Amino acid sequence: MEKKIIVDCDGVLLDWAYAFDVWMAEKCFRRQEDTDKYYNQSIRYGITEDQAIYLTREFNQSGCVGFIPALRDSVEYVTKLNREGWRFEVISCLDKDKYAQRLRRNNLIHLFGDVFDFIDCALDFSVGKEQYLLDRYGGKDYYWIEDSVNHAQAGKRVGLRSVLIDHPYNQDWDGPRVKNWKQVYQIITNANTSH
């Protein structure tokens, strides 16, 4: 098996939600209480759907995307997997803006180093990922690390080994779930040694 891992970015490698919350607070928007279980920003902030889309796009096109912190223990275990021969490809729905894409790429390389063979963060987040995953990875049996239930299911349908990073908003996934990258590491290395 080729030692390649396909990953989403926000909520998997990077803590997008934390960075967005900080940015929104600076704009005087206050998160609603007990909204962690929702991914929808209009619910989390008590704003209209149009406002949520506009503000998300504004954030994703801002300089902030070049400075989003790593999620949990992702740097430690992505680096460890890479030292053991694993390479990564990032498939993310950030924005079409070329400068935002460059900032995202620079942020990832700054945090994780030379572990990526491919980074695509220009997917339209309103479309979904299934056709893209099918065209690029259909039948490849790679690990697919996600935080979105819909995208994890899409990966599973095209033959990827979907593993979900646990968040309050994705509790309706019934496949493999991990709390951190240490558990991702254990799944991948245990499966690799049992072959």
Side-chain angles (χ1 to χ4, degrees):
M1 179 177 144
E2 188 179 1
K3 295 180 90 170
K4 188 177 295 289
I5 301 167
I6 315 307
V7 293
D8 180 35
C9 190
D10 299 311
V12 174
L13 295 176
L14 302 180
D15 197 346
W16 184 93
Y18 168 78
F20 186 70
D21 286 347
V22 170
W23 183 81
M24 287 290 279
E26 289 171 355
K27 292 190 162 293
C28 299
F29 287 94
R30 190 166 164 262
R31 268 277 304 279
Q32 304 295 299
E33 289 185 32
D34 301 321
T35 56
D36 282 349
K37 65 183 175 185
Y38 300 105
Y39 186 76
N40 186 313
Q41 300 304 321
S42 66
I43 296 171
R44 289 167 73 104
Y45 282 96
I47 57 179
T48 68
E49 191 67 33
D50 286 344
Q51 278 181 297
I53 291 168
Y54 175 83
L55 289 163
T56 300
R57 182 160 284 134
E58 185 180 343
F59 174 78
N60 285 343
Q61 291 177 351
S62 76
C64 294
V65 298
F67 301 94
I68 297 175
L71 181 74
R72 302 175 192 155
D73 58 350
S74 59
V75 171
E76 178 182 357
Y77 286 95
V78 165
T79 302
K80 190 169 181 162
L81 284 162
N82 180 251
R83 280 197 306 264
E84 295 175 18
W86 291 88
R87 298 292 293 172
F88 293 81
E89 295 197 2
V90 177
I91 308 301
S92 178
C93 302
L94 176 70
D95 199 85
K96 297 278 187 198
D97 182 85
K98 66 182 180 180
Y99 301 109
Q101 293 170 34
R102 173 85 42 95
L103 286 170
R104 163 60 51 91
R105 184 174 283 105
N106 290 348
N107 188 32
L108 287 169
I109 292 168
H110 172 75
L111 291 170
F112 296 95
D114 179 24
V115 303
F116 304 106
D117 288 336
F118 180 76
I119 298 172
D120 187 344
C121 50
L123 295 177
D124 181 349
F125 63 83
S126 65
V127 173
K129 296 182 181 176
E130 186 162 350
Q131 189 61 50
Y132 186 98
L133 293 173
L134 179 62
D135 292 345
R136 188 165 175 88
Y137 305 112
K140 297 277 184 153
D141 197 34
Y142 295 142
Y143 284 97
W144 168 229
I145 315 301
E146 253 292 352
D147 69 314
S148 161
V149 172
N150 289 339
H151 296 159
Q153 289 169 337
K156 191 174 177 182
R157 284 192 295 271
V158 305
L160 297 175
R161 298 184 196 188
S162 295
V163 176
L164 207 72
I165 300 283
D166 187 54
H167 291 279
Y169 55 78
N170 64 18
Q171 296 304 300
D172 53 344
W173 168 253
D174 60 359
R177 172 185 299 278
V178 293
K179 295 200 176 298
N180 52 43
W181 270 88
K182 180 179 182 180
Q183 292 178 345
V184 172
Y185 176 83
Q186 291 167 341
I187 286 171
I188 290 172
T189 55
N190 288 341
N192 210 39
T193 56
S194 65
H195 282 102

